[in-house]
Amino acid sequence: MVRSRSRRLVVVLVVVVVLVGIGLAAVWGLQRQLIYFPDASDVPPAGDALPGARDVTLETADGLELGAWYLPADAARDTGLAVLMAPGNGGNRAGRADLARELGERGFAVLVMDYRRYGGNPGSPSEDGLAADADAAVRALVDLGHSLDRTIFLGESLGTGVVAGLQQRHRPAGIVLRSPFTELADVGRHHYPWLPVRALLRDRFPVLEPLASSDVPVTVVHGDRDDIVPTELSERVADGVPVLVERVVLEGAGHNDAVMFGPQVADAVVRLARRVG
């Protein structure tokens, strides 16, 4: 009887281990579908969505041609500064047109990039891929006449990880981090506390670590009702960057609320520009 119970217990344990292994293998294989939510549909011509803008092509080091929008600065309001917009993990550049328009009205030239697979672009997203896309965006801005010391990187959510790495390779005048996290694993652990996220995660997108040794001026903008990136993670980023220009907390704002793409974010860019310009 005892031997029979022991045998059954061993069988149960084996089944549990196998099921857990299958589950972890599935998470490993499908994790990028839990990170990236591209709207791969074609976007309208730049001028239709963003008056005065034009379509540009970003050429990546691994041979992709990516669509982007470039909005030249209004001659009457030109600050002499450009903004590189690195989006979050969802949608495409059409959803950033309003913020680009707000920035243009404040005298900035704006490059609104889309990553690979987003907005009709080819390729599949990954951390290394998005880094290559951002490098291509910097090269495009330089070709358009905008030097790095007159460029501000604006990263949104996942894009804060993109620009945190980008500033190590291409030092900008300043950085605005909208809804930043310390690193992607910390967001994953918040949403999936039962999973060994750090061990499983392939794309890590550190934000605080690459900025901790940077002297680039930084502004942090986040809501206090964020249901995607926990507010405390954005606060830790603001506390940890060496040159914090401003901490902007949008009261009552969630991660994807309209205010996160509106005038208050654009105004934060203006204040940073005054500091670095």
Side-chain angles (χ1 to χ4, degrees), residues 126-150:
S126 67
E127 184 175 14
D128 289 343
L130 268 58
D133 301 344
D135 286 338
V138 167
R139 289 194 296 272
L141 268 177
V142 171
D143 289 344
L144 288 163
H146 301 287
S147 62
L148 277 166
D149 63 353
R150 302 292 293 167

Side-chain angles (χ1 to χ4, degrees), residues 131-183:
D133 301 344
D135 286 338
V138 167
R139 289 194 296 272
L141 268 177
V142 171
D143 289 344
L144 288 163
H146 301 287
S147 62
L148 277 166
D149 63 353
R150 302 292 293 167
T151 297
I152 292 173
F153 295 164
L154 170 56
E156 166 206 324
S157 190
L158 189 75
T160 65
V162 174
V163 300
L166 184 64
Q167 61 87 33
Q168 292 184 303
R169 304 185 299 277
H170 310 279
R171 188 188 187 282
I175 301 172
V176 176
L177 302 174
R178 201 279 272 173
S179 306
F181 45 77
T182 46
E183 60 177 319

Side-chain angles (χ1 to χ4, degrees), residues 16 33 53 63 128 199 201 219 221 225:
V16 169
Q33 296 181 36
D128 289 343
L201 201 59
T219 288
V221 181
R225 297 289 180 86

